[in-house]
Amino acid sequence: MSILITGFKGNIGSKLSLLFDNFVGIDTKDGKDLLTCELPEGVRTIFHLAAHAPVEWSWQDPVRTIENLASTVRLVHQYPDAKIIFASTGASIDPITPYGFSKWACNEYLKRFHKHAVILYF
């Protein structure tokens, strides 16, 4: 398997997954947590769309929100040579919420520690 889509049952992921005949999807809607699930072998491209959101919830549960960074770190270290296309947000440009901060931290981690990352701002 060469393509992994995290958050593949979300708004963007569900549409993106229609473009591929063969991919592995990980989504909390299937009871799979990126921090603990078994990750597939042979992944060459990752569309990392999964995140604990929305912004309002991040104020109520900032510890869960910071798991956005932990799951990104796990993917970077599991797949050091894969291309990672990361779904970021405008909230990460000026992070004034726990959610925005978690996305900003993911952006910075990818920039510094993964040589094949692309960050998309939706």
Side-chain angles (χ1 to χ4, degrees):
M1 186 55 49
S2 65
I3 297 172
L4 171 63
I5 303 175
T6 69
F8 81 105
K9 289 192 172 182
N11 185 35
I12 296 169
S14 62
K15 291 163 184 64
L16 179 66
S17 66
L18 297 173
L19 300 175
F20 302 102
D21 291 330
N22 201 7
F23 71 93
V24 172
I26 297 175
D27 200 293
T28 56
K29 293 174 181 144
D30 289 334
K32 293 182 181 177
D33 187 323
L34 269 174
L35 294 177
T36 59
C37 72
E38 186 174 332
L39 294 174
E41 298 290 324
V43 171
R44 297 180 58 171
T45 303
I46 301 166
F47 293 92
H48 186 21
L49 308 173
H52 294 296
V55 172
E56 298 81 28
W57 294 355
S58 72
W59 289 107
Q60 298 166 5
D61 195 355
V63 173
R64 182 168 168 85
T65 302
I66 206 65
E67 289 177 3
N68 292 336
L69 176 58
S71 64
T72 300
V73 170
R74 184 172 186 223
L75 292 174
V76 165
H77 288 277
Q78 178 73 24
Y79 306 110
D81 297 318
K83 294 176 181 77
I84 298 178
I85 297 94
F86 177 67
S88 194
T89 173
S92 67
I93 295 169
D94 184 17
I96 59 172
T97 66
Y99 173 74
F101 181 84
S102 75
K103 296 296 266 188
W104 173 85
C106 292
N107 294 347
E108 292 302 311
Y109 195 89
L110 288 165
K111 288 177 196 175
R112 295 166 197 254
F113 302 113
H114 195 74
K115 58 186 172 189
H116 303 295
V118 173
I119 299 168
L120 300 177
Y121 294 93
F122 293 102

